Amino acid sequence: MNKNIKKSIWMMAIAIVCMTVTACSSDEEEVNQMKTEDGLQEETRLFARGYCALPTGMSKGDDFEVFTEDDIEWFDVNTRELRFHDMEEPLYKKLRLLSGVEFRLGDQTLFSSSTFVGLICNQVFDDLILCCGKIEDGKVIDNCYYLYDCYPNTPQFLNDKQVQANRVKRAEQWEAFTKYLESKGKLRK
């Protein structure tokens, strides 16, 4: 066989192999991106970071992990309660009051303007807050957590135009948050 023909056959074979490998890796990439209906990839994890918003013992801007999805027992969409498994250090001891809390899903920030407040807070917030505590039978129970659209979480403030606008603004992230928890079997309805 002629040298040029052999060379051409080899070049065609190499080109076919390259095209096949490229096509396969492209298909695999599409499959990895479409692992779930809601577009979330398997390696995506939910976690929250606390950060210093006010002058405290920490430097402004310092952040630290507060919890991961493994710490979450369930989230109730009706009461907005976020129940955690027993943690070595309760959340209310990890976070200082009025600290910022950033909820993340993988590399996507879901809620970054969350503030950590207790039941006896005299400030008004018109955006998402993580509230610690509830009153049951006249007693304050510290180890309960709620994600509220505002604080205080009363009809007077819930119907505020700014609170409603903030709720609409984060609707897509809220849906991603609840769908993710549902996919993990951690959502109560």
Side-chain angles (χ1 to χ4, degrees):
M1 220 193 265
N2 186 334
K3 260 186 171 178
N4 288 335
I5 294 174
K6 280 185 180 180
K7 205 176 202 179
S8 295
I9 292 173
W10 273 109
M11 289 178 74
M12 285 176 46
I14 290 171
I16 290 170
V17 168
C18 287
M19 288 189 306
T20 304
V21 168
T22 302
C24 288
S25 67
S26 172
D27 290 345
E28 185 178 312
E29 194 173 298
E30 278 182 46
V31 168
N32 284 339
Q33 290 175 356
M34 297 170 57
K35 286 184 180 176
T36 61
E37 284 183 20
D38 54 13
L40 301 174
Q41 294 181 0
E42 281 185 338
E43 62 271 7
T44 300
R45 298 200 32 89
L46 178 69
F47 64 98
R49 295 191 304 204
Y51 59 90
C52 182
L54 300 171
T56 61
M58 296 175 61
S59 299
K60 191 170 184 176
D62 283 351
D63 63 29
F64 54 96
E65 186 174 280
V66 178
F67 63 83
T68 69
E69 67 184 55
D70 296 332
D71 297 315
I72 298 172
E73 189 174 336
W74 47 259
F75 176 71
D76 188 317
V77 292
N78 297 312
T79 64
R80 298 287 207 58
E81 183 175 1
L82 186 58
R83 176 71 55 94
F84 294 98
H85 296 288
D86 288 334
M87 294 191 270
E88 277 184 38
E89 184 178 19
L91 201 59
Y92 67 89
K93 289 187 178 181
K94 285 184 182 182
L95 285 167
R96 294 183 185 265
L97 291 178
L98 304 179
S99 293
V101 182
E102 179 182 58
F103 286 76
R104 298 186 59 84
L105 189 55
D107 60 356
Q108 176 187 7
T109 299
L110 294 176
F111 318 121
S112 63
S113 62
S114 302
T115 303
F116 181 65
V117 299
L119 281 180
I120 308 170
C121 181
N122 63 357
Q123 288 185 279
V124 174
F125 295 93
D126 62 8
D127 208 351
L128 191 68
I129 59 103
L130 177 61
C131 182
C132 173
K134 72 176 179 178
I135 297 175
E136 193 172 275
D137 297 328
K139 296 179 184 178
V140 175
I141 300 171
D142 284 330
N143 210 8
C144 299
Y145 303 93
Y146 297 85
L147 279 172
Y148 293 140
D149 290 319
C150 61
Y151 185 85
N153 187 45
T154 61
Q156 171 190 357
F157 294 102
L158 284 168
N159 295 326
D160 179 77
K161 287 180 184 176
Q162 186 60 51
V163 171
Q164 292 300 315
N166 288 336
R167 187 176 188 169
V168 168
K169 182 174 65 175
R170 75 173 163 272
E172 191 175 309
Q173 291 84 2
W174 188 261
E175 185 177 352
F177 175 72
T178 56
K179 278 187 175 182
Y180 184 79
L181 289 175
E182 186 173 39
S183 76
K184 298 294 182 176
K186 296 182 180 221
L187 191 70
R188 286 189 172 181
K189 294 181 180 180

Short mmCIF file of all heavy atoms in Angstrom, two decimals, residues 34-55:
data_model
loop_
_atom_site.label_atom_id
_atom_site.label_comp_id
_atom_site.label_asym_id
_atom_site.label_seq_id
_atom_site.Cartn_x
_atom_site.Cartn_y
_atom_site.Cartn_z
N MET A 34 -27.76 17.03 34.30
CA MET A 34 -29.19 16.76 34.33
C MET A 34 -29.52 15.61 35.27
O MET A 34 -30.41 14.83 35.01
CB MET A 34 -29.66 16.45 32.91
CG MET A 34 -29.48 17.61 31.97
SD MET A 34 -29.75 17.19 30.25
CE MET A 34 -31.39 16.56 30.26
N LYS A 35 -28.80 15.48 36.36
CA LYS A 35 -29.01 14.36 37.27
C LYS A 35 -30.35 14.42 37.97
O LYS A 35 -30.90 13.40 38.32
CB LYS A 35 -27.88 14.30 38.30
CG LYS A 35 -26.59 13.78 37.70
CD LYS A 35 -25.53 13.63 38.73
CE LYS A 35 -24.28 13.11 38.06
NZ LYS A 35 -23.17 13.01 38.94
N THR A 36 -30.87 15.61 38.20
CA THR A 36 -32.17 15.73 38.84
C THR A 36 -33.04 16.67 38.03
O THR A 36 -32.53 17.48 37.27
CB THR A 36 -32.03 16.28 40.28
OG1 THR A 36 -31.44 17.56 40.21
CG2 THR A 36 -31.18 15.38 41.15
N GLU A 37 -34.35 16.57 38.21
CA GLU A 37 -35.28 17.40 37.45
C GLU A 37 -35.10 18.88 37.71
O GLU A 37 -35.26 19.70 36.84
CB GLU A 37 -36.72 17.03 37.80
CG GLU A 37 -37.18 15.76 37.17
CD GLU A 37 -38.64 15.51 37.50
OE1 GLU A 37 -39.35 16.44 37.88
OE2 GLU A 37 -39.04 14.35 37.36
N ASP A 38 -34.75 19.23 38.96
CA ASP A 38 -34.63 20.65 39.29
C ASP A 38 -33.27 21.24 38.97
O ASP A 38 -32.99 22.37 39.31
CB ASP A 38 -34.99 20.91 40.75
CG ASP A 38 -34.18 20.06 41.70
OD1 ASP A 38 -33.18 19.45 41.26
OD2 ASP A 38 -34.54 20.00 42.88
N GLY A 39 -32.40 20.45 38.30
CA GLY A 39 -31.13 20.97 37.84
C GLY A 39 -30.03 20.94 38.88
O GLY A 39 -28.92 21.38 38.62
N LEU A 40 -30.28 20.41 40.07
CA LEU A 40 -29.25 20.36 41.09
C LEU A 40 -28.35 19.16 40.85
O LEU A 40 -28.82 18.09 40.53
CB LEU A 40 -29.88 20.26 42.48
CG LEU A 40 -30.82 21.39 42.86
CD1 LEU A 40 -31.48 21.08 44.19
CD2 LEU A 40 -30.07 22.70 42.93
N GLN A 41 -27.07 19.35 41.01
CA GLN A 41 -26.13 18.25 40.84
C GLN A 41 -25.97 17.52 42.15
O GLN A 41 -26.16 18.07 43.22
CB GLN A 41 -24.79 18.79 40.36
CG GLN A 41 -24.87 19.39 38.97
CD GLN A 41 -23.54 19.91 38.50
OE1 GLN A 41 -22.55 19.81 39.19
NE2 GLN A 41 -23.52 20.46 37.32
N GLU A 42 -25.58 16.24 42.07
CA GLU A 42 -25.46 15.42 43.27
C GLU A 42 -24.45 15.98 44.27
O GLU A 42 -24.65 15.88 45.45
CB GLU A 42 -25.05 14.00 42.90
CG GLU A 42 -26.20 13.18 42.39
CD GLU A 42 -25.80 11.76 42.14
OE1 GLU A 42 -24.61 11.48 41.96
OE2 GLU A 42 -26.70 10.91 42.13
N GLU A 43 -23.36 16.58 43.78
CA GLU A 43 -22.34 17.05 44.69
C GLU A 43 -22.71 18.37 45.37
O GLU A 43 -22.00 18.84 46.23
CB GLU A 43 -20.98 17.17 43.98
CG GLU A 43 -20.95 18.15 42.82
CD GLU A 43 -21.34 17.54 41.48
OE1 GLU A 43 -21.76 16.37 41.44
OE2 GLU A 43 -21.23 18.22 40.47
N THR A 44 -23.82 18.96 45.02
CA THR A 44 -24.27 20.20 45.63
C THR A 44 -24.70 19.91 47.07
O THR A 44 -25.40 18.95 47.32
CB THR A 44 -25.46 20.78 44.85
OG1 THR A 44 -25.04 21.04 43.51
CG2 THR A 44 -25.96 22.06 45.47
N ARG A 45 -24.25 20.75 48.01
CA ARG A 45 -24.60 20.57 49.41
C ARG A 45 -25.11 21.87 49.99
O ARG A 45 -24.67 22.94 49.62
CB ARG A 45 -23.39 20.09 50.20
CG ARG A 45 -22.91 18.75 49.69
CD ARG A 45 -22.06 17.92 50.59
NE ARG A 45 -22.21 17.97 51.99
CZ ARG A 45 -23.04 17.21 52.71
NH1 ARG A 45 -23.81 16.35 52.12
NH2 ARG A 45 -23.08 17.28 54.02
N LEU A 46 -26.06 21.75 50.90
CA LEU A 46 -26.62 22.90 51.59
C LEU A 46 -25.83 23.13 52.87
O LEU A 46 -25.53 22.19 53.60
CB LEU A 46 -28.09 22.63 51.94
CG LEU A 46 -28.81 23.72 52.71
CD1 LEU A 46 -29.03 24.95 51.83
CD2 LEU A 46 -30.15 23.21 53.22
N PHE A 47 -25.47 24.38 53.11
CA PHE A 47 -24.81 24.73 54.36
C PHE A 47 -25.05 26.21 54.66
O PHE A 47 -25.54 26.95 53.81
CB PHE A 47 -23.31 24.42 54.31
CG PHE A 47 -22.52 25.22 53.30
CD1 PHE A 47 -21.82 26.36 53.69
CD2 PHE A 47 -22.48 24.84 51.97
CE1 PHE A 47 -21.10 27.09 52.77
CE2 PHE A 47 -21.76 25.57 51.04
CZ PHE A 47 -21.07 26.71 51.45
N ALA A 48 -24.74 26.60 55.88
CA ALA A 48 -24.90 28.00 56.27
C ALA A 48 -23.61 28.47 56.93
O ALA A 48 -22.96 27.72 57.66
CB ALA A 48 -26.07 28.16 57.23
N ARG A 49 -23.29 29.72 56.63
CA ARG A 49 -22.13 30.36 57.26
C ARG A 49 -22.60 31.54 58.08
O ARG A 49 -23.50 32.26 57.67
CB ARG A 49 -21.16 30.89 56.19
CG ARG A 49 -20.53 29.83 55.35
CD ARG A 49 -19.41 30.36 54.52
NE ARG A 49 -19.83 31.47 53.67
CZ ARG A 49 -19.21 31.82 52.56
NH1 ARG A 49 -18.19 31.16 52.15
NH2 ARG A 49 -19.65 32.83 51.84
N GLY A 50 -21.97 31.72 59.21
CA GLY A 50 -22.23 32.90 60.01
C GLY A 50 -21.15 33.91 59.70
O GLY A 50 -20.03 33.55 59.34
N TYR A 51 -21.49 35.17 59.81
CA TYR A 51 -20.47 36.20 59.62
C TYR A 51 -20.75 37.37 60.54
O TYR A 51 -21.88 37.61 60.96
CB TYR A 51 -20.39 36.65 58.15
CG TYR A 51 -21.67 37.21 57.59
CD1 TYR A 51 -21.96 38.56 57.67
CD2 TYR A 51 -22.59 36.37 56.96
CE1 TYR A 51 -23.15 39.07 57.15
CE2 TYR A 51 -23.77 36.88 56.44
CZ TYR A 51 -24.04 38.23 56.54
OH TYR A 51 -25.21 38.73 56.03
N CYS A 52 -19.70 38.04 60.87
CA CYS A 52 -19.79 39.15 61.81
C CYS A 52 -20.25 40.40 61.09
O CYS A 52 -19.61 40.86 60.15
CB CYS A 52 -18.42 39.37 62.45
SG CYS A 52 -18.42 40.66 63.66
N ALA A 53 -21.38 40.93 61.51
CA ALA A 53 -21.90 42.14 60.89
C ALA A 53 -21.67 43.36 61.78
O ALA A 53 -21.69 44.49 61.33
CB ALA A 53 -23.39 41.99 60.61
N LEU A 54 -21.48 43.12 63.08
CA LEU A 54 -21.29 44.20 64.05
C LEU A 54 -19.97 44.01 64.79
O LEU A 54 -19.46 42.89 64.85
CB LEU A 54 -22.44 44.18 65.08
CG LEU A 54 -23.84 44.36 64.53
CD1 LEU A 54 -24.86 44.10 65.62
CD2 LEU A 54 -24.01 45.77 63.99
N PRO A 55 -19.43 45.06 65.39
CA PRO A 55 -18.20 44.89 66.16
C PRO A 55 -18.44 43.96 67.36
O PRO A 55 -19.31 44.20 68.18
CB PRO A 55 -17.87 46.31 66.64
CG PRO A 55 -18.78 47.23 65.92
CD PRO A 55 -19.91 46.43 65.37
#
